[in-house]
Amino acid sequence: MISVVILGAGNVATHLYKAFQASKDVTVKQWYNRSLKTIETYKNKVETTDDLSKLVEADVYILAVNDDAIAELSSLLPFENKFVVHTSGSVSPYDIDKKNRRGVFYPLQTFSKAAPIDFSEVPLCLETLRRTDYALLKKLGASISDHAKRVNSDQRASLHLAAVFVNNFTNQIYRVAQEITESQGAEFDMLKPLILETAKKVHHMSPYRAQTGPAKRNDKKTIKKHLKALDNEHHEAIYKLLTDSIKKTHGR
Amino acid sequence: MISVVILGAGNVATHLYKAFQASKDVTVKQWYNRSLKTIETYKNKVETTDDLSKLVEADVYILAVNDDAIAELSSLLPFENKFVVHTSGSVSPYDIDKKNRRGVFYPLQTFSKAAPIDFSEVPLCLETLRRTDYALLKKLGASISDHAKRVNSDQRASLHLAAVFVNNFTNQIYRVAQEITESQGAEFDMLKPLILETAKKVHHMSPYRAQTGPAKRNDKKTIKKHLKALDNEHHEAIYKLLTDSIKKTHGR
């Protein structure tokens, strides 16, 4: 049984708490947050505290807090030589105060308060500064996810950056598509099966092979028609840039 | 029972043929293609022909051919006053020769030769020039899809254009994400659950509400870090444009 203490109460902290609670190999010994109010609904299920001096003994301390808060919170921990990890995609493990053994436990997924998540499908990027700490972190990761892997800081940063593309940028593309359809009184809903199929397609073939459409074919007539139909400068700029990008990728 | 003749042998034609064959309300009386070779594997299941003068009687003739071929093929049809529809997202029903009754039967999905598709989930955009033809087209659509709807030409053009965004452009975003991860030896595979979750999220909330990340928060520090990490001018241009787009949408 691995014992953990969770620090923080955002979406990542909450989903991690639930995943650990559901695992037979992990016990959450304590949940710390600056404000007890945020986690008070859990106080009958787990020991909660807002006092760092009352932190209990555990195998792993998980700092699931904002990137900017990691360094300071880690320096305030009232113990040494324990195993402390953060959950950030872009922060170095060296940002954690060096009085403790340090690592990273980064779940690569988008979390919202409302939606439940199947943690077994969430990729976990694991890193430890001491080689001897890795086995424990791997065991902790494997207790909740089927995709817990060693990922170094450069790789993790590239995944975190790429995640902005496939999550935030893709979502903005969906938003633009909604603006385009609704400007003509068409239903954005009709695009949803295509949105899902496009996402599924790259699970079994590369984005390169999955590509279709006027830009890939360099179908100038259709591209011209589309640019004429776009009456929003901003949508037009996105159309042009991504069309050029596809042409470049496919050697047009 | 509705009888149809399919003309053309591309992905749309082939998937339509299979969907109609599986429906108890439709019979495919004949399949025409310029070259018989392409459809010869089906010759024991359906009458095939490469001779327009041999086209048989049917309730609906479906021109599932390239956009550019619709007008000409329709003018070569050796009959008048029959019901002829095309399957294009961007072509007007007026492009079909006026000697016949005209309409549109546009399936809004991406089709590939290999992957089977559940047609009941495919949105169908229906349009007829004569009001009296609509009931038949609606019945034909409903025989294979749960999402067959009347969509006028302007709406259809906007859906077709928006489809380029959510399909081709999103797919190119995936491609860029793959280039970013692989440049650091990280696995693109680790992004797949996030790709799927992002697509699923807009099925139950708007893209506006689903948005998260540094651009939405106007987190200048992270944005600067990301731009520094992107060593490809082209990736940088996409990052900047979509970050600005998100900021604009969310009033930053």
Side-chain angles (χ1 to χ4, degrees):
Chain A
M1 185 70 87
I2 306 170
S3 61
V4 306
V5 168
I6 296 173
L7 298 97
N11 289 336
V12 173
T14 306
H15 282 283
L16 277 178
Y17 166 76
K18 289 177 184 170
F20 288 139
Q21 287 295 53
S23 163
K24 57 176 180 27
D25 302 319
V26 182
T27 175
V28 180
K29 287 187 77 174
Q30 199 180 33
W31 193 349
Y32 162 88
N33 196 47
R34 202 160 48 162
S35 143
L36 271 184
K37 212 169 150 52
T38 324
I39 50 175
E40 77 181 343
T41 43
Y42 301 97
K43 72 181 175 197
N44 295 323
K45 293 183 182 162
V46 61
E47 189 190 319
T48 59
T49 183
D50 60 357
D51 184 349
L52 288 173
S53 74
K54 302 245 169 79
L55 288 181
V56 298
E57 183 81 26
D59 298 321
V60 190
Y61 296 81
I62 301 176
L63 310 179
V65 297
N66 281 341
D67 290 5
D68 292 341
I70 291 169
E72 196 193 348
L73 178 59
S74 73
S75 73
L76 296 173
L77 295 175
F79 47 69
E80 292 180 8
N81 207 31
K82 298 200 184 297
F83 189 36
V84 177
V85 299
H86 71 63
T87 59
S88 165
S90 58
V91 171
S92 164
Y94 290 98
D95 275 26
I96 299 171
D97 193 291
K98 67 175 186 292
K99 67 188 173 190
N100 284 296
R101 289 142 48 217
R102 300 171 280 182
V104 179
F105 192 84
Y106 168 54
L108 180 43
Q109 185 52 284
T110 175
F111 297 102
S112 51
K113 271 255 143 51
I117 198 122
D118 177 5
F119 229 101
S120 67
E121 292 292 333
V122 175
L124 285 174
C125 303
L126 309 179
E127 184 178 8
T128 58
L129 292 188
R130 289 202 199 176
R131 199 147 47 103
T132 47
D133 288 325
Y134 186 74
L136 175 61
L137 199 61
K138 171 82 185 181
K139 208 173 148 194
L140 183 66
S143 75
I144 55 172
S145 165
D146 297 335
H147 306 278
K149 281 185 186 163
R150 191 196 299 269
V151 172
N152 69 35
S153 283
D154 286 344
Q155 291 167 338
R156 180 165 44 87
S158 79
L159 285 164
H160 184 252
L161 174 51
V164 168
F165 280 75
V166 304
N167 180 9
N168 307 155
F169 293 170
T170 292
N171 189 69
Q172 182 66 6
I173 297 281
Y174 299 160
R175 164 71 187 185
V176 170
Q178 187 181 28
E179 290 172 355
I180 290 170
T181 48
E182 292 185 350
S183 75
Q184 296 296 332
E187 289 175 44
F188 175 66
D189 276 5
M190 294 192 84
L191 292 168
K192 289 179 178 176
L194 180 59
I195 285 172
L196 200 57
E197 186 65 24
T198 304
K200 282 183 177 169
K201 207 169 175 184
V202 293
H203 281 64
H204 55 85
M205 69 172 79
S206 71
Y208 183 88
R209 276 196 58 221
Q211 194 58 278
T212 61
K216 187 192 166 189
R217 293 193 308 271
N218 197 16
D219 172 354
K220 290 185 184 126
K221 199 174 141 193
T222 302
I223 292 169
K224 209 173 152 188
K225 202 166 164 180
H226 283 164
L227 284 171
K228 211 183 143 200
L230 288 166
D231 52 4
N232 178 319
E233 232 175 72
H234 181 62
H235 297 171
E236 205 179 302
I238 294 174
Y239 188 98
K240 279 182 181 161
L241 186 61
L242 285 164
T243 292
D244 284 349
S245 179
I246 293 169
K247 281 191 198 168
K248 217 166 280 176
T249 294
H250 292 273
R252 294 296 191 161
Chain B
M1 185 70 90
I2 305 171
S3 61
V4 305
V5 168
I6 297 173
L7 298 97
N11 290 337
V12 173
T14 306
H15 282 282
L16 278 178
Y17 166 76
K18 288 178 183 168
F20 287 138
Q21 286 296 52
S23 163
K24 57 175 179 29
D25 301 319
V26 182
T27 176
V28 180
K29 286 187 77 174
Q30 199 181 33
W31 193 349
Y32 163 88
N33 195 44
R34 206 160 44 164
S35 141
L36 272 184
K37 214 171 149 52
T38 325
I39 49 175
E40 77 181 341
T41 43
Y42 300 98
K43 71 180 175 194
N44 296 322
K45 292 183 183 163
V46 61
E47 190 191 318
T48 59
T49 183
D50 60 358
D51 184 349
L52 288 174
S53 73
K54 302 244 171 78
L55 287 182
V56 299
E57 183 79 27
D59 297 322
V60 190
Y61 295 82
I62 301 176
L63 310 179
V65 296
N66 283 341
D67 289 4
D68 291 341
I70 291 169
E72 196 195 346
L73 178 59
S74 73
S75 73
L76 296 172
L77 295 175
F79 47 69
E80 290 180 8
N81 206 31
K82 297 198 185 298
F83 188 35
V84 177
V85 299
H86 71 61
T87 59
S88 164
S90 58
V91 170
S92 164
Y94 290 99
D95 275 26
I96 298 172
D97 193 291
K98 67 175 185 292
K99 67 187 171 189
N100 283 296
R101 287 140 50 213
R102 298 171 282 180
V104 178
F105 191 85
Y106 168 54
L108 180 43
Q109 185 52 285
T110 174
F111 298 101
S112 51
K113 270 256 144 48
I117 197 119
D118 177 5
F119 229 100
S120 68
E121 293 291 332
V122 175
L124 285 174
C125 303
L126 310 180
E127 184 178 7
T128 58
L129 292 189
R130 288 201 200 177
R131 200 148 46 103
T132 47
D133 288 324
Y134 186 73
L136 174 63
L137 199 62
K138 172 80 186 183
K139 207 173 150 194
L140 183 66
S143 74
I144 56 172
S145 165
D146 297 336
H147 305 279
K149 280 184 187 164
R150 190 196 297 269
V151 172
N152 69 36
S153 284
D154 287 345
Q155 291 167 338
R156 178 164 48 85
S158 78
L159 286 163
H160 185 253
L161 174 51
V164 168
F165 279 76
V166 303
N167 180 9
N168 306 154
F169 294 170
T170 293
N171 189 70
Q172 182 66 6
I173 297 281
Y174 299 159
R175 164 70 188 187
V176 169
Q178 186 181 28
E179 289 172 356
I180 291 169
T181 47
E182 292 185 351
S183 75
Q184 295 297 333
E187 290 175 44
F188 174 66
D189 276 5
M190 293 191 85
L191 292 169
K192 289 179 178 176
L194 180 59
I195 284 172
L196 201 56
E197 187 64 24
T198 304
K200 282 182 178 169
K201 209 170 174 181
V202 293
H203 280 63
H204 56 83
M205 67 172 82
S206 70
Y208 183 88
R209 278 195 56 219
Q211 193 58 279
T212 61
K216 187 193 166 186
R217 293 193 308 270
N218 198 15
D219 173 353
K220 289 185 184 127
K221 199 174 141 194
T222 302
I223 292 170
K224 208 173 154 190
K225 202 165 166 181
H226 282 163
L227 284 171
K228 210 181 144 200
L230 288 167
D231 52 6
N232 178 320
E233 234 175 71
H234 181 61
H235 296 172
E236 207 178 301
I238 294 174
Y239 188 98
K240 280 182 180 162
L241 185 61
L242 285 164
T243 291
D244 284 349
S245 178
I246 294 169
K247 280 190 197 167
K248 214 164 284 177
T249 294
H250 293 273
R252 293 297 191 162

